[in-house]
């Protein structure tokens, strides 16, 4: 173990020395100086800032120098400017070179402009006072060593455009506690967070980021807000947190891939055996502790050799004479994850000429799973097939499927019946069509009925009768002698102050359409309502539902001090309406807290008594 540690330290020293040597190899160049900034100008009249000759500790890079736009911060431009505490960058900036702020140990904060896409490696290496970083909203790559040894950095949020995190990007950030990821990260180097022992990765469940955190034994916290989750915390031998994950309530936690280790003493060594604690049907925060098997170190001519399986458990244990070869067991296995499968490639140590007790671990190569997405025609034949990697989106076929019209309907393709944004399994995808009647109903011209249209929360609507001109209305339209079977089109008014919910059947609460425009043929007794959700200061929405929450019954708007008016109760076959699940006082309390309120009906099943006469 000591030999391994010394070798690792030696490799890191060589890497650091190589990095510093490359950073210091700055070729001589002729610069222009303007406003204390050294600069160069290329053939496109773009300015690159190459250094600063002033004495200010807080500086602002101008958007233009010598009359041209500043586009780049050059390689090593502010290298080892140890007195620089603050720097503001212009919005014209599109890139920053390698080690541009390397060793700026007093730099405390920086905000990268929106157009600045290209970040060089070692960009903020050794900025030990850097606390606040705002990345550009178009940042794609966090390059290698970008924030290495930024010891004061505690939190950073990566924009949704970020795809890759390079080698040692956040290594040795001793106080880094939280890194926020979006859903679309595709690649993170295994050593990106090396020696940043307190970091917690915040991301979304079932994404590459969650898989990465689990494989690297980095604490993970889910950002999904629509799922009830609990923390499952796995501890190390010394009581420190080894791995943490968020688990959906009632689900089973996934154990860390890499088992913990416990250092040996002068007399004993330890082998991980299992985890102790509950990981199934998670209902609360769970604490899981490792169990180790203790082995005594003794002077002997025979040695104990242990081969581990892919999950860290013992696959084979054997006694081997000094200088003899151990016998490897059958190939070990490693359980595949949702996104990755593993192939055994060999052992991490030689098992020949044994001269000491040894624990030998398997080495695996990883392959991202791929899935087949088959798009079907209307008749069930294959239209096109794609092979998609786990977590990626599936392309859409260029050919649009068609469905032939019949004697009643024509069909228009509207999309596919599966979510294709994140592929996690094989899929058969079928087309979805909208059917439209080929003929309007023919009803007697002499039949008349009633048409009523009103609205809640909006500012008006227009109505067209029998393909006539659209005429604006107030909040209510009533026609008691409208012919049955005529075409009616109603269009709700768009409003910046309120969100349109849809056209509702007030009798049932059913949503007829969520489009502003709704067309239908009169039946003789038609009543529909345009409903809006209004955002007004001091006013919130109270929604009464029908049929156990599946349909709207009534929508009202109240200030906290308004008197609550309950609508008449709905009807439900086989049940008696017993009232509403909120009292007026409960509704007013939620309104006072600034909340919209959902009110559900309370039902009691009807009892039917049957008299039976037996002859």
């Amino acid at each position: 173990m000591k030999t391994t540690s010394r070798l690792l330290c030696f490799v890191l020293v060589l890497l650091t020395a190589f990095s510093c040597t490359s950073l210091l190899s700055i070729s001589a160049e002729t610069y222009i100086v303007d406003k204390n900034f050294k600069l160069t100008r290329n053939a496109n009249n773009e300015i690159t800032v190459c250094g600063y000759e002033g004495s200010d500790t807080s500086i602002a890079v101008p958007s233009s120098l010598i009359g041209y736009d500043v586009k780049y911060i050059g390689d090593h431009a502010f290298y080892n400017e140890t007195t620089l505490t603050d720097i503001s960058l212009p919005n014209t900036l599109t890139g920053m070179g390698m080690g541009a702020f390397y060793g700026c140990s007093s730099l405390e904060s920086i905000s990268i402009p929106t157009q600045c896409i290209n970040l060089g490696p070692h960009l903020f290496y050794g900025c030990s006072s850097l606390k606040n970083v705002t990345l550009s909203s178009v940042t794609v790559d966090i390059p290698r060593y970008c924030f290495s040894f930024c010891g004061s950095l505690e939190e950073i949020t990566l924009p949704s455009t970020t795809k890759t995190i390079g080698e040692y990007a956040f290594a040795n950030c001793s106080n880094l506690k939280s890194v926020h990821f979006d859903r679309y990260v595709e690649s993170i180097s295994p050593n990106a967070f090396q020696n940043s022992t307190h970091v917690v990765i915040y991301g979304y469940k079932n994404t590459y980021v969650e898989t990465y955190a689990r494989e690297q034994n980095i604490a993970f916290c889910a950002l999904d807000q629509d799922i009830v989750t609990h923390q499952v915390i796995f501890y190390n031998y010394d009581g420190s947190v080894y791995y943490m994950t968020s688990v959906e309530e009632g689900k089973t936690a996934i154990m860390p891939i890499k088992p913990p280790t416990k250092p040996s003493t002068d007399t004993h060594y330890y082998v991980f055996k299992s985890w102790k604690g509950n990981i199934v049907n998670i209902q609360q925060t769970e604490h899981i502790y490792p169990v180790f098997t203790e082995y005594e170190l003794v002077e002997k001519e025979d040695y104990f050799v242990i081969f581990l399986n892919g999950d860290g458990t013992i696959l084979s244990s054997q006694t081997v004479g000094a200088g003899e070869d151990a016998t490897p067991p059958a190939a070990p296995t490693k359980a595949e994850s949702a996104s990755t499968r593993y192939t055994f490639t060999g052992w991490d140590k030689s098992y020949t000429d044994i001269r000491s007790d040894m624990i030998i671990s398997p080495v695996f190569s990883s392959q991202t799973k791929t899935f087949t997405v088959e798009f079907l025609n209307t008749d069930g034949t294959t239209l096109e097939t794609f092979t998609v990697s786990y977590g990626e989106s599936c392309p859409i076929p260029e050919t649009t499927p068609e469905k032939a019209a019949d004697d009643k309907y024509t069909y228009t393709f509207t999309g596919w019946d599966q979510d294709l944004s994140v592929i996690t399994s094989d899929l058969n995808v079928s087309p979805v069509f909208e059917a439209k009647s080929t003929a309007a109903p023919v009803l007697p011209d002499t039949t008349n009925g009633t048409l009523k249209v009103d609205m809640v929360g909006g500012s008006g609507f227009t109505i067209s009768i029998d393909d006539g001109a659209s005429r604006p209305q107030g909040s209510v339209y009533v026609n008691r002698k409208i012919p049955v079977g005529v075409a009616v089109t109603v269009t709700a008014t768009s409003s910046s102050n309120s969100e349109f919910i849809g056209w509702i059947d007030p009798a049932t609460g059913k949503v007829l359409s969520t489009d502003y425009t709704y067309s239908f043929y009169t039946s003789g007794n038609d009543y529909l309502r345009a409903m809006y959700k209004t955002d007004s200061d001091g006013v919130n929405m109270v929604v009464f539902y029908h049929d156990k929450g599946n349909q709207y019954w009534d929508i009202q708007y109240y200030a906290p001090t308004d008197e609550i008016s309950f609508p008449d109760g709905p009807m439900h076959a086989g049940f008696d309406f017993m009232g509403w699940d909120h009292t007026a006082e409960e509704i007013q309390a939620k309104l006072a807290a600034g909340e919209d309120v959902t009110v559900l009906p309370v039902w009691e099943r009807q009892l039917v008594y049957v008299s039976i006469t037996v002859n």
Side-chain angles (χ1 to χ4, degrees), residues 228-233 245-251 253 278-288:
V228 177
T229 62
H230 301 286
Q231 295 297 322
V232 178
I233 305 170
T245 185
S246 297
V247 181
E248 291 183 34
E249 188 168 275
K251 296 294 183 68
N278 176 51
I279 63 169
V280 300
N281 190 24
I282 300 300
Q283 300 292 330
Q284 62 184 3
T285 299
E286 296 287 353
H287 303 274
I288 314 298

Side-chain angles (χ1 to χ4, degrees), residues 150-471:
C150 290
S152 297
L153 187 62
E154 295 183 1
E155 180 179 10
I156 191 167
T157 297
L158 305 178
S160 60
T161 53
T162 302
K163 300 291 186 184
T164 61
I165 312 295
E167 291 184 330
Y168 304 101
F170 295 96
N172 296 288
C173 293
S174 56
N175 286 301
L176 184 61
K177 296 180 178 63
S178 60
V179 181
H180 293 255
F181 287 86
D182 211 299
R183 302 176 185 273
Y184 309 109
V185 175
E186 298 174 351
S187 174
I188 306 175
S189 173
N191 50 29
F193 298 94
Q194 181 169 297
N195 295 331
S196 297
T197 55
H198 301 295
V199 69
V200 176
I201 286 179
Y202 291 80
Y204 293 88
K205 293 187 70 61
N206 301 320
T207 62
Y208 169 82
V209 171
E210 183 187 19
T211 301
Y212 171 85
R214 184 163 59 85
E215 291 180 347
Q216 300 302 321
N217 289 341
I218 298 176
F220 176 80
C221 185
L223 294 173
D224 307 62
Q225 296 301 316
D226 56 344
I227 301 173
V228 177
T229 62
H230 301 286
Q231 295 297 322
V232 178
I233 305 170
F234 294 81
Y235 291 92
N236 213 332
Y237 75 96
D238 59 358
S240 61
V241 174
Y242 182 71
Y243 174 66
M244 178 174 68
T245 185
S246 297
V247 181
E248 291 183 34
E249 188 168 275
K251 296 294 183 68
T252 298
I254 300 176
M255 294 184 294
I257 292 177
K258 297 179 181 178
T261 59
K262 183 176 181 179
S264 60
T265 66
D266 292 338
T267 59
H268 294 83
Y269 67 95
Y270 304 89
V271 176
F272 174 74
K273 180 180 180 182
S274 62
W275 291 104
K276 180 181 180 181
N278 176 51
I279 63 169
V280 300
N281 190 24
I282 300 300
Q283 300 292 330
Q284 62 184 3
T285 299
E286 296 287 353
H287 303 274
I288 314 298
Y289 297 91
V291 177
F292 294 90
T293 301
E294 181 180 80
Y295 295 95
E296 184 177 1
L297 289 170
V298 295
E299 292 293 335
K300 54 187 178 181
E301 294 183 358
D302 293 333
Y303 297 100
F304 200 51
V305 178
I306 295 175
F307 289 88
L308 299 181
N309 208 342
D311 59 359
T313 57
I314 296 175
L315 183 63
S316 170
S317 60
Q318 52 194 266
T319 301
V320 181
E324 296 180 358
D325 297 343
T327 303
T333 59
K334 183 175 180 179
E336 63 182 35
S337 66
S339 64
T340 310
R341 58 174 56 91
Y342 302 91
T343 302
F344 173 67
T345 59
W347 300 98
D348 68 340
K349 300 182 186 72
S350 172
Y351 47 81
T352 62
D353 189 23
I354 300 300
R355 298 290 179 178
S356 64
D357 293 330
M358 297 183 69
I359 298 176
I360 302 176
S361 300
V363 178
F364 296 89
S365 63
S366 61
Q367 303 88 35
T368 300
K369 289 183 180 179
T370 58
F371 300 100
T372 299
V373 180
E374 183 179 6
F375 289 84
L376 303 178
N377 275 310
T378 311
D379 58 1
T381 59
T382 299
L383 176 67
E384 194 164 352
T385 301
F386 294 95
T387 300
V388 185
S389 296
Y390 176 89
E392 294 184 357
S393 60
C394 181
I396 302 298
E398 295 182 359
T399 303
T400 300
E402 297 180 351
K403 184 175 181 179
D406 52 34
D407 57 352
K408 292 185 178 180
Y409 299 99
T410 60
Y411 300 92
T412 303
F413 173 70
T414 59
W416 301 97
D417 67 346
Q418 301 279 1
D419 179 9
L420 302 172
S421 60
V422 179
I423 302 301
T424 59
S425 63
D426 294 331
L427 290 178
N428 288 329
V429 187
S430 300
V432 177
F433 295 90
E434 180 183 1
K436 294 185 178 179
S437 175
T438 57
V442 179
L443 297 172
D445 293 336
T446 57
T447 304
N448 293 327
T450 299
L451 169 64
K452 179 180 178 181
V453 183
D454 61 19
M455 54 171 295
V456 174
S459 57
F461 60 90
T462 62
I463 187 168
S464 169
I465 306 296
D466 205 14
D467 296 326
S470 294
R471 300 184 181 278

Side-chain angles (χ1 to χ4, degrees), residues 13 88 134 602:
V13 168
S88 61
T134 301
V602 178

